[in-house]
Each structure stands twice: as structure tokens, then as C-alpha cells.
């Protein structure tokens, strides 16, 4: 696979083609995920829950994200590497610039930050300095304490309108991608059509331009309750590589996620 760039992903959106995103936190899985043709690897701060056993992403540090980004970059075979800036590492634009620099130097090609229009100045600053940004809207896990739990966002007309407006503002300020987590499928479709940049969904139904899952969830090895947007791809595969391959094929074919994986 040629190296995936922002240009690759924009062209896919323009052609109405979907692309696949999976998390990975180490070189071995980065190699498997990218070799299967997965377009984007997300070094998510979900590693705080999946690898470190915390009950939220809040304890994850910039140094830990840089370490795992470096591990992933070492195994990556041409995918775009997206890394999360963790909780409180981008509370001001200056902090964001310093910490995004650390993740880019560790091997990230794009950084992801959680929040709405308040990120406009930060995104413009990073974009001006050559750091592409994916803005994460909807259920933003770093704000779990303010949101009162891991709940679907944008269910009422006012918050839905706010999310659409935020998406448009963030694109205008220079965001290169959006990620929508746990938002009603119809709203996710509306946002995906309202912006020209690619929109990645998780728990956002079948109408976004791309789909992301936490690798351990789609391999069926995450303990505890399975969220409705997760599908266990190991159930019909005879190897981990086969499950990852099948995930990419189903996302590109538009058969995953189905309506049942989204919220009304
Ligand atoms: O940290 C992460 O893995 C994420 C995904 C759940 C989208 O942000």
C-alpha cells in the first residue's frame, strides 16, 4: 500500500468511498492492522482503559502517548498514524502546540483532540504550523465527568444544531478530519454531508465517511459489556489478521456498521 495521506482520504470522500480506522498501541498490531490495508491507525488514549486498566482515559499522559505512538510508528506499513492528545494536554493553544509537537516527533501524522467550537483557535494555530488535526465531537470520553457518563450526545434539536455548527466552524478553522462518537445516525449523516473533510464514526451509524473501532473490542477480547456499535469480527474469522481484513472489507463495502450498530 502507498503511504496514506490526507489527500488519499479526501479523494476517497470525494469519490464516495469509505475507509477503515482501527486503534493499535504497539508495533506488532500496527504491522497487522496496516498490512491489512487499514487506512488509518489510531493511537487512542483508550489505551488508558484497554492497556492500563483505568476506568477512564483521564490518567493517560503525553509521555505515554508519545511512547505508544513511537511503538506504532515502528510497525506501521503505510497507514496514516493518528494520535490522541490526552486529557488537559491542550487546555490552551500553547499547550496544544507543545504537546502536539511531541506526538508528531514520535511518529504521528495527525493529532486528535476532543471538543467543539472552543478548539477553533487551537486548530487554526496547529494547522498553520503544519500539524493536521482531527476534531472529536459527540461523546468526548475525556469529558465523561461533565457529561455524567458515557452517553449518546446530540439527541435533542438544540445540541444537534450545536454539533453541526461546531463541525462547520472547526472545518473552517483548518480541521482536516472529524470523528463523531455516539451520536444519532441521522445527525452523523447530516454532519458528514455538511463538511468536505472526511468524517469518521463510532456509534454514529452507517452514513459517515469512515469507521473506527477499538481493536481489542472488534477482536472480542475486551472484558465487560459490549457496546451496541461493536461487532466481534473474530466470531467469523480463523485468525486475527483475517478478522482485521474482514473489518476493512465490510467498512469499505458499507455493510459495517449496519443500522443496528447506530442510535436513533
Ligand atoms: O481513544 C480512542 O480509542 C478513541 C476512539 C474510541 C474513537 O478515541
Amino acid at each position: 500500500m502507498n503511504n496514506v495521506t490526507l489527500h488519499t482520504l479526501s479523494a476517497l470522500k470525494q469519490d464516495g468511498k469509505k475507509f477503515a480506522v482501527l486503534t493499535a498501541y504497539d508495533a506488532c498490531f500496527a504491522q497487522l492492522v496496516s498490512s491489512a490495508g487499514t487506512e488509518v491507525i489510531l493511537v487512542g488514549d483508550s489505551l488508558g482503559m484497554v492497556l492500563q486498566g483505568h476506568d477512564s482515559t483521564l490518567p493517560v499522559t503525553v509521555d505515554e502517548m508519545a511512547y505508544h505512538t513511537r511503538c506504532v510508528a515502528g510497525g506501521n506499513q503505510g497507514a496514516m498514524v493518528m494520535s490522541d492528545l490526552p486529557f488537559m494536554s491542550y487546555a490552551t493553544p500553547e499547550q496544544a502546540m507543545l504537546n502536539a509537537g511531541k506526538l508528531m516527533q514520535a511518529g504521528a501524522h495527525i493529532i486528535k483532540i476532543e471538543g467543539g467550537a472552543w478548539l477553533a483557535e487551537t486548530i487554526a494555530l496547529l494547522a498553520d504550523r503544519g500539524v493536521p488535526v482531527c476534531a472529536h465531537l459527540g461523546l468526548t470520553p475525556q469529558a465523561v465527568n461533565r457529561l455524567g457518563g458515557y452517553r449518546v450526545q446530540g439527541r435533542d434539536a438544540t445540541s444537534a444544531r450545536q454539533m453541526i455548527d461546531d463541525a462547520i466552524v472547526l472545518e473552517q478553522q483548518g480541521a482536516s478530519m472529524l470523528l463523531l462518537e455516539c451520536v444519532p445516525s441521522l445527525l452523523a449523516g447530516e454532519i458528514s454531508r455538511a463538511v468536505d473533510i472526511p468524517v469518521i464514526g463510532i456509534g454514529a451509524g452507517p452514513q459517515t465517511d469512515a469507521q473506527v473501532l477499538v481493536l481489542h473490542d472488534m477482536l472480542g477480547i475486551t472484558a465487560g459489556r459490549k457496546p451496541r456499535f461493536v461487532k466481534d469480527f473474530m466470531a467469523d474469522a480463523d485468525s486475527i489478521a483475517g478478522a482485521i481484513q474482514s473489518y476493512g472489507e465490510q467498512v469499505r463495502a458499507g455493510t459495517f456498521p449496519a443500522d443496528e450498530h447506530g442510535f436513533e
Side-chain angles (χ1 to χ4, degrees), residues 73-264:
N76 179 33
Q77 306 291 315
M80 175 178 289
V81 176
M82 177 187 293
S83 294
D84 271 337
L85 274 178
F87 180 63
M88 278 298 151
S89 66
Y90 52 100
T92 65
E94 292 69 28
Q95 262 185 314
M97 202 163 54
L98 180 76
N99 292 320
K102 292 183 186 170
L103 299 191
M104 297 297 280
Q105 288 184 323
H109 302 119
I110 179 168
I111 61 114
K112 178 162 78 61
I113 48 182
E114 299 182 6
W118 69 270
L119 288 173
E121 190 188 344
T122 299
I123 289 175
L125 188 71
L126 290 172
D128 279 349
R129 281 152 184 78
V131 178
V133 180
C134 175
H136 182 149
L137 297 167
L139 169 55
T140 46
Q142 292 172 14
V144 60
N145 293 303
R146 189 174 53 76
L147 298 176
Y150 296 99
R151 298 164 183 275
V152 179
Q153 302 295 307
R155 279 200 191 272
D156 63 89
T158 310
S159 60
R161 184 69 250 168
Q162 182 68 56
M163 212 184 292
I164 297 169
D165 291 346
D166 284 358
I168 292 169
V169 167
L170 296 180
E171 177 181 40
Q172 286 166 350
Q173 292 304 311
S176 297
M177 266 191 260
L178 295 179
L179 187 146
L180 302 177
E181 177 165 355
C182 290
V183 307
S185 304
L186 286 179
L187 174 60
E190 200 172 332
I191 293 174
S192 303
R193 289 185 292 277
V195 296
D196 290 329
I197 53 177
V199 177
I200 305 167
I202 177 167
Q207 298 182 33
T208 56
D209 307 309
Q211 177 67 22
V212 61
L213 282 182
V214 169
L215 180 68
H216 296 60
D217 286 347
M218 59 78 78
L219 294 178
I221 53 175
T222 312
R225 195 177 63 86
K226 179 161 86 75
R228 70 189 283 168
F229 53 81
V230 171
K231 177 171 168 181
D232 178 358
F233 284 83
M234 271 310 275
D236 296 318
D238 50 19
S239 67
I240 290 177
I244 294 171
Q245 187 78 38
S246 164
Y247 167 75
E249 285 166 5
Q250 290 184 39
V251 169
R252 284 180 214 103
T255 51
F256 178 78
D259 287 336
E260 78 217 44
H261 301 112
F263 299 96
E264 287 180 5

